[in-house]
Amino acid sequence: MSATIQPEKILRELSDLWVTLGKDADHSQESGVLRACSMTLVTLVEESEDPTDVWSTMAELMPEHPSRAIVIRFRTSTERELASRVFSQCWMPFGHRRQICCEQIEIMASDASLPDLAAVVLPLAVADLPVMLWCRGARLFSLPDFPQLSKIAHKLIFDSAAFPDPGAVLARIGERSRSGRILGDLAWTRLTRWRGLVSQIFESRKYLARLPEIAEIRVGFGGAAPPTGAYYLAAWLLECLEKAGARARVSWTAAPDAPAGHLARIELLGGQALRVSIGVTRDGEHQTALVQVDSLSNRMVFPPDTDYMLLREELSIPNLDPVYDRALAGAARLALAGN
Amino acid sequence: MAHAILKEMPLENPFQDPLRFERRIPECAVVIFGANGDLTKRKLLPALYRLAYERRLAPGFAVLGISRTAMTDDQFRENMADSVAKFLEDSPFDKDVWSGFAQSLYYMAGDIADTATFSNLAARLKQIEECRHTAGNVLFYLSTQPSQYAAAAKGIGAAGLAKGNGWRRIVIEKPFGHDLASARELSEQLHEVFRESDVYRIDHYLGKETVQNILAFRFGNGIFEPLWNRRYVNNVQITAAESIGVEGRGGYYQEAGALRDMIQNHLLQVTATIAMEPSATFQPDSVRDERSKLLRSIRVMKPDEVLENSVPGQYGPARIGGADVPGFREEPGVDPQSQTNTYAAATFFVDNWRWAGVPFYIRTGKRLPKRVTEIAIQFNSAPHAVFGENGADATPNLLILRIQPEEGISLRFLSKRPGAGMKLRPVSMDFNYGSSFGERSPTAYETLLLDAMIGDATLYTRQDMVEASWTAVEPILNVWQNQKFDFPNYAAGTWGPMDADKMLARHGHTWRQP
C-alpha cells in the first residue's frame, strides 16, 4: 500500500465515473442517471469489520440520505498507509425509468496515517453540504489523533453503548458537547421509541395533571451496571419531570432476562397509585413493548434498531439537538454520582 | 390575578421532542357512522391501524363503529382484521399490534333515522369512556351517504353528545352539497349542533404529502416566490387524469359528474394552494384564511362566458391495448342517453394583484390515457431570442409539481447541446419525493385523521371555502345543465374532447402532455 493518495485524482475518478454511468445508461436506452447528494458521509471502520455490513447500511441509507459516502477502513499499523478506490451505488426506484446514483469512495488507512486524513477528506467533501462523520468503533474514537479528524465534520456520530466504561465516555463526550460540537450518540437514538411512548402517555391531560406526583423513576437494564442508554433516559425523564414540578429520584434495577447493555423497563411511580410502565421483551430482532398506565395496557412493536434505522434518524438532524445536549449533561452527572 | 392566569394556562407536555418524534394523539373515541361501508374498510381502519403501528395512538383510544348490520364487537373486529390486512398500503400487518388495537374496537348496530340509535350511542360511549379512559373526547366520522349528514348531526345533538367533558368534533366527506344553496343549507344544519371550528370537512387531496409539499416549496424557499406572479408566469395547467372508467360507480357518477366530483372540491383546493398568498403563520386559520381569500378571488363566469371557458366531455367506446372498452353510456347503471360529464375542463382567472390575466386551466376526466395528477406552471419565454434559430424550437421554462403517481417536482430549462455550435435543448431537473425520502409517506387519511384528533384543521375545508368554490363552479353547472351536448365527444384513451384544445388555443396556449 502506498503512503499517499491524491484527492484530485479521486475527484477525477468520480468525474469519469459519472461519464461512464451516463454512457451506460444511453446504451441501455434508459432515461439517464440522476445524481443525488445531500451530504458527505464519512464512516470510520476497523479493517477487521466485514465491509459488506457497512456498505449494505450505506445502500439502505442512500435513498433517504443520498450522499457522497467515504468509508475509511483502518488497520492497526505503525506504518503510514493510504490507498483508495472509487465506485458508485445506483438504484432504480420502483416504477421509474431512471437510475439514481451516489458516489462512494473507500479509503484504506492505517492508525499511523490518521493525522494525514483530514487533508485528504476535506477536499473530497461536497461543497456547501454538511459533512457527517460516523465513527463505528470505540478504539478509533479513542485514538489520540481522532479529534483532529473529527473537526472536519459538522456532526460526529458514535455509539457510546460500545464503550467499556459508560461513566468515562459520558464525561468525555459531555466535554466535547460543551465545546460546541454537534454530537449524535446512537445509544440516545435507540431511546426515541421509548421517549415517544412516554410522551404519548402524557398527551392525556388527566395524566399530565398528575405529573407533579411522580416521585420515583425506576430503570431496569440487563447486565451488571447501567448502560449509557439507561443514564440518558433517566436524565431526560428527570429533566422533563422537573419542568412539570416533580422532584423524582432514580433507582436502578437489574433485569436478569434482558441482554447485557440493554434497557428492559422503565416505571414512573407516584402517589395515589399512579403507575406508568413500559417494558420491552426481545425475540431476536423483534422487540415488543408493553405499555401499562393504571389499568390500561397496550402492546406495541418497536422497529428494529439496526444501524440503518438509527443512522437515518441521526442524519436527518444535522444541527444541534438541545434535548440531547441537556440529556447528555444530566446523564454524565448521574453516572458520576453512581460511581 | 397572576395566580389565576397561571392556573388557566394550558398544560404543556414536557416530554415532547419535535425534532425526534411528532405530536401524539390525545386519548379519544372515534365514532364511525357507516362502519360497514367501503370507506371504513379501505381507508379509515387501515389508517387508524397504521397510526397504532406507528405508536401514535394513546392507550386511551377506542373506535365505535355504527351501521345497520347486526354484528357483535368480535365480528366487527374480525371483519376489520380482514380489511386492514387487505387494504393496508406499503406496510406490514403485525398480529401483535393488531391484537392490541382490536381491543379498542367496538360496534353497535343502529340506523341514523332512528332516534333510539343515538340514545344507545350515548350509553355505549359512556361505557367505553369508563373502560378505555377516553376522557370524554369524541370524533364523530360520518362515512355515510351525504343525505344522512344532517340527520346524523341532529341525532348527535338531540342525544346531548355534541357537548361533554372533552372535545367533540365531526368529520364529513365530500360532497358538501350539490350546489351553493345546498352547501349553505348543510352548513346551517351542522351549525345547529356543532360550532364551525368543530366541523372538519375532509378533502383527501389536501392530505396528500405532495399537496402539502407545495406549501413547503413555495414558502420555505426564497427563490421561487419572486417569480410566482403575473410578471413571470404565463399560465398554469392543472391536470387530474384517470385511466379507469367509472368502475361500477355509474349510478353515483351519473348524478355527480367530473365538474362536481373533482373540480369543485379537490382541484380548486389545489389551485388555492398554488395561488394563495403566504400566510403570516402556519396556524390553521391563518392558512385557511389565505386559501379562502384566493377562492373568493376566482372570477365568476357570466352565463355567456361559460361555453367559451369550459368544456364538458363524455367518453365513448374504444379499443385500448387490444381490449374493447365500453363508453360511459354502456357502463352498468348509466342512462344510455346520459348527459353526465366524465371530463371537465375550465379556464379560471384569479382577480387579484398577483394573478390578474394569468389563465388557470383545469382539466379532469375518466378514461384518459394515464393516471396522473400534476400542476404545470409555465413561465414566460425569454424576452429576446439571443440564440436565433438555434433556440427557435425552445420551449418555455416549466415547473411541474407532480402529485401522483411519481410525486415530485421537475424544472425544465434550456441547456446547450454538447459539441460545436450553440444549439439548445430542453433538459429536466428532477426532485423525486419518493426516492429522495425513502421514508414511507403517510396516507392522506392517516394525516387527516391524526390532524382531526389533534385538533389541527389546516388541511380541512372551511364553510367559506366550500361556498367560494361553489360560487366559482355553479355558473358552469347551470349552463351545462341547460344544454344538450353531443356526447360522447372523446374516445376512451385520449386526452379529451377537441373543444378543450380550442379553449386553450383562444388564449394562444396548448395543453401540455403529462
Side-chain angles (χ1 to χ4, degrees):
Chain A
M1 206 185 290
S2 75
T4 58
I5 48 178
Q6 296 172 330
E8 289 83 4
K9 186 171 166 277
I10 297 176
L11 290 170
R12 268 200 306 278
E13 285 173 16
L14 285 175
S15 175
D16 292 346
L17 187 74
W18 285 108
V19 173
T20 314
L21 285 170
K23 280 183 184 160
D24 289 351
D26 277 352
H27 290 148
S28 60
Q29 306 216 316
E30 288 162 1
S31 312
V33 291
L34 191 66
R35 180 177 178 171
C37 192
S38 62
M39 67 181 71
T40 302
L41 174 58
V42 183
T43 307
L44 309 187
V45 296
E46 299 281 6
E47 195 195 30
S48 54
E49 281 189 72
D50 183 355
T52 32
D53 273 358
V54 181
W55 285 118
S56 64
T57 302
M58 296 288 127
E60 283 182 289
L61 286 169
M62 286 301 144
E64 205 167 329
H65 298 289
S67 55
R68 176 175 287 176
I70 304 174
V71 172
I72 308 178
R73 299 180 60 204
F74 281 90
R75 65 161 60 177
T76 44
S77 165
T78 50
E79 296 290 312
R80 290 170 99 91
E81 293 171 355
L82 283 171
S84 69
R85 71 183 178 110
V86 165
F87 52 105
S88 66
Q89 177 139 32
C90 300
W91 68 98
M92 181 86 81
F94 180 73
H96 291 229
R97 288 163 297 174
R98 193 189 323 222
Q99 287 198 97
I100 299 176
C101 296
C102 293
E103 301 158 329
Q104 305 198 326
I105 302 165
E106 189 171 74
I107 295 176
M108 278 64 75
S110 62
D111 289 356
S113 59
L114 190 57
D116 305 330
L117 276 171
V120 171
V121 174
L122 205 54
L124 295 179
V126 181
D128 304 317
L129 292 175
V131 177
M132 307 293 214
L133 178 62
W134 175 29
C135 180
R136 275 172 61 99
R139 189 189 74 84
L140 295 170
F141 195 89
S142 310
L143 289 174
D145 292 313
F146 176 75
Q148 186 63 27
L149 176 62
S150 72
K151 277 185 189 157
I152 63 165
H154 290 92
K155 179 171 182 172
L156 170 60
I157 301 168
F158 55 91
D159 187 356
S160 67
F163 289 70
D165 180 352
V169 73
L170 287 171
R172 199 162 137 213
I173 56 181
E175 219 169 85
R176 287 196 183 196
S177 163
R178 282 193 297 279
S179 69
R181 298 305 313 275
I182 300 175
L183 303 175
D185 185 349
L186 301 186
W188 168 253
T189 324
R190 279 186 201 96
L191 301 178
T192 299
R193 55 211 66 182
W194 291 79
R195 297 191 304 119
L197 285 183
V198 174
S199 177
Q200 168 66 77
I201 292 163
F202 291 98
E203 277 297 315
S204 157
R205 296 188 69 78
K206 179 181 150 193
Y207 294 118
L208 194 56
R210 294 185 65 185
L211 266 184
E213 294 173 27
I214 290 174
E216 186 180 355
I217 300 165
R218 265 187 216 160
V219 183
F221 55 87
T228 49
Y231 287 121
Y232 276 136
L233 190 57
W236 175 72
L237 287 167
L238 274 176
E239 201 218 343
C240 295
L241 289 172
E242 205 169 290
K243 273 191 217 160
R247 291 184 66 82
R249 66 190 166 81
V250 179
S251 58
W252 309 102
T253 56
D257 296 339
H262 285 85
L263 271 174
R265 186 177 179 79
I266 52 167
E267 286 176 276
L268 303 178
L269 308 168
Q272 295 173 0
L274 175 63
R275 176 181 283 262
V276 171
S277 77
I278 301 171
V280 169
T281 50
R282 288 160 197 274
D283 180 8
E285 287 224 326
H286 193 79
Q287 297 179 54
T288 310
L290 181 66
V291 180
Q292 288 180 295
V293 186
D294 289 345
S295 60
L296 279 178
S297 68
N298 220 348
R299 198 172 287 280
M300 310 198 179
V301 173
F302 275 176
D305 45 12
T306 56
D307 282 345
Y308 157 65
M309 293 294 281
L310 302 173
L311 256 286
R312 75 200 271 256
E313 182 175 325
E314 279 310 319
L315 294 179
S316 60
I317 306 171
N319 298 321
L320 212 62
D321 177 354
V323 177
Y324 167 66
D325 280 358
R326 288 197 298 272
L328 170 59
R333 279 195 300 273
L334 280 176
L336 187 67
N339 291 334
Chain B
M1 179 69 182
H3 181 68
I5 291 170
L6 273 176
K7 272 189 91 172
E8 282 168 19
M9 275 170 64
L11 294 173
E12 275 282 323
N13 177 355
F15 299 105
Q16 281 177 22
D17 183 355
L19 260 186
R20 302 272 175 170
F21 44 86
E22 301 195 27
R23 225 185 123 188
R24 305 309 220 243
I25 298 166
E27 67 271 70
C28 65
V30 177
V31 177
I32 302 176
F33 289 88
N36 203 27
D38 242 20
L39 181 72
T40 306
K41 290 175 185 167
R42 286 172 180 266
K43 300 289 182 190
L44 302 183
L45 259 293
L48 289 169
Y49 163 80
R50 183 66 211 180
L51 291 171
Y53 184 85
E54 293 279 355
R55 307 177 302 283
R56 301 193 73 169
L57 297 179
F61 175 81
V63 174
L64 172 57
I66 305 175
S67 76
R68 280 181 296 194
T69 317
M71 238 188 301
T72 64
D73 287 342
D74 283 339
Q75 284 168 328
F76 180 60
R77 288 165 187 161
E78 277 169 34
N79 287 352
M80 290 304 129
D82 293 343
S83 303
V84 169
K86 186 172 171 189
F87 295 113
L88 203 55
E89 293 172 22
D90 313 326
S91 159
F93 180 78
D94 187 288
K95 284 188 179 157
D96 272 348
V97 176
W98 175 262
S99 70
F101 178 68
Q103 294 312 303
S104 67
L105 301 185
Y106 300 87
Y107 182 82
M108 61 171 268
D111 187 340
I112 287 173
D114 182 359
T115 50
T117 299
F118 295 94
S119 47
N120 293 341
L121 171 61
R124 198 74 205 275
L125 265 178
K126 195 161 181 278
Q127 276 175 359
I128 290 171
E129 187 183 330
E130 280 164 14
C131 148
R132 297 290 308 177
H133 303 265
T134 52
N137 298 324
V138 185
L139 181 74
F140 296 101
Y141 199 113
L142 304 190
S143 174
T144 64
Q145 292 294 324
S147 56
Q148 294 182 307
Y149 290 168
K154 197 172 168 192
I156 291 167
L161 291 171
K163 292 188 177 72
N165 48 348
W167 49 257
R168 304 291 160 108
R169 299 177 190 136
I170 188 164
V171 179
I172 58 170
E173 286 271 341
K174 66 145 190 151
F176 313 122
H178 51 85
D179 55 18
L180 179 59
S182 57
R184 280 190 177 142
E185 191 188 346
L186 173 63
S187 289
E188 279 164 18
Q189 287 164 332
L190 293 170
H191 291 163
E192 282 172 19
V193 181
F194 291 95
R195 289 173 304 181
E196 174 60 24
S197 58
D198 294 327
V199 178
Y200 286 66
R201 295 175 188 82
I202 209 163
D203 185 324
H204 73 266
Y205 252 63
L206 293 182
K208 287 180 184 287
E209 284 274 291
T210 35
V211 174
Q212 295 175 60
N213 197 32
I214 294 171
L215 295 176
F217 180 79
R218 285 192 59 199
F219 304 133
N221 297 296
I223 58 170
F224 298 106
E225 202 52 26
L227 308 178
W228 217 260
N229 56 56
R230 63 188 299 277
R231 285 188 68 191
Y232 300 99
V233 175
N234 187 278
N235 68 86
V236 178
Q237 296 188 16
I238 300 174
T239 301
E242 288 186 58
S243 55
I244 56 170
V246 289
E247 306 293 300
R249 290 170 67 228
Y252 159 76
Y253 203 80
Q254 192 162 240
E255 298 302 313
L259 185 66
R260 273 200 183 98
D261 194 45
M262 290 294 290
I263 294 183
Q264 183 274 331
N265 38 68
H266 304 321
L267 299 187
L268 283 181
Q269 289 297 332
V270 169
T271 307
T273 310
I274 282 290
M276 68 188 243
E277 294 298 316
S279 59
T281 64
F282 198 60
Q283 294 302 310
D285 268 333
S286 191
V287 176
R288 298 202 296 175
D289 285 349
E290 294 304 335
R291 273 209 182 98
S292 175
K293 254 163 64 186
L294 189 284
L295 289 168
R296 280 182 276 125
S297 307
I298 294 176
R299 188 187 302 164
V300 179
M301 291 179 206
K302 297 189 183 83
D304 60 345
E305 295 169 339
V306 167
L307 291 177
E308 284 237 319
N309 289 298
S310 67
V311 177
Q314 188 188 84
Y315 63 87
R319 199 168 166 77
I320 301 174
D324 287 324
V325 172
F328 178 67
R329 288 175 177 181
E330 286 84 49
E331 298 273 9
V334 174
D335 174 1
Q337 299 302 316
S338 172
Q339 281 286 307
T340 301
N341 54 86
T342 62
Y343 173 97
T347 306
F348 289 107
F349 288 91
V350 176
D351 284 339
N352 66 14
W353 194 273
R354 184 190 285 259
W355 295 113
V358 177
F360 283 73
Y361 302 117
I362 302 181
R363 63 176 162 173
T364 182
K366 296 214 171 273
R367 284 267 186 244
L368 298 182
K370 63 176 175 182
R371 174 180 168 258
V372 61
T373 302
E374 59 186 38
I375 301 142
I377 293 146
Q378 185 173 316
F379 292 91
N380 289 326
S381 300
H384 171 58
V386 178
F387 303 105
E389 284 191 1
N390 289 328
D393 60 347
T395 46
N397 296 131
L398 264 182
L399 180 70
I400 297 153
L401 307 166
R402 296 187 306 275
I403 293 172
Q404 59 189 19
E406 286 182 19
E407 297 93 335
I409 296 167
S410 297
L411 180 64
R412 197 171 68 182
F413 55 92
L414 292 176
S415 162
K416 181 187 172 299
R417 272 177 200 275
M422 183 52 94
K423 289 198 171 131
L424 307 188
R425 69 169 178 191
V427 291
S428 179
M429 193 159 72
D430 293 336
F431 161 74
N432 192 297
Y433 202 74
S435 55
S436 297
F437 301 104
E439 213 166 325
R440 171 192 174 276
S441 295
T443 63
Y445 276 95
E446 279 170 57
T447 304
L448 292 166
L449 278 166
L450 181 94
D451 284 356
M453 289 187 273
I454 287 176
D456 181 345
T458 310
L459 300 176
Y460 283 86
T461 314
R462 213 168 49 189
Q463 179 196 358
D464 53 344
M465 295 152 80
V466 173
E467 290 183 11
S469 43
W470 274 121
T471 304
V473 158
E474 200 169 61
I476 306 174
L477 277 174
N478 290 342
V479 170
W480 286 7
Q481 270 163 5
N482 294 320
Q483 291 271 325
K484 191 163 169 25
F485 294 99
D486 188 15
F487 285 159
N489 58 353
Y490 72 99
T494 65
W495 279 109
M498 293 285 285
D499 284 346
D501 297 340
K502 289 180 190 161
M503 180 178 82
L504 265 70
R506 280 193 281 276
H507 299 279
H509 296 139
T510 52
W511 288 110
R512 55 177 294 275
Q513 192 167 311

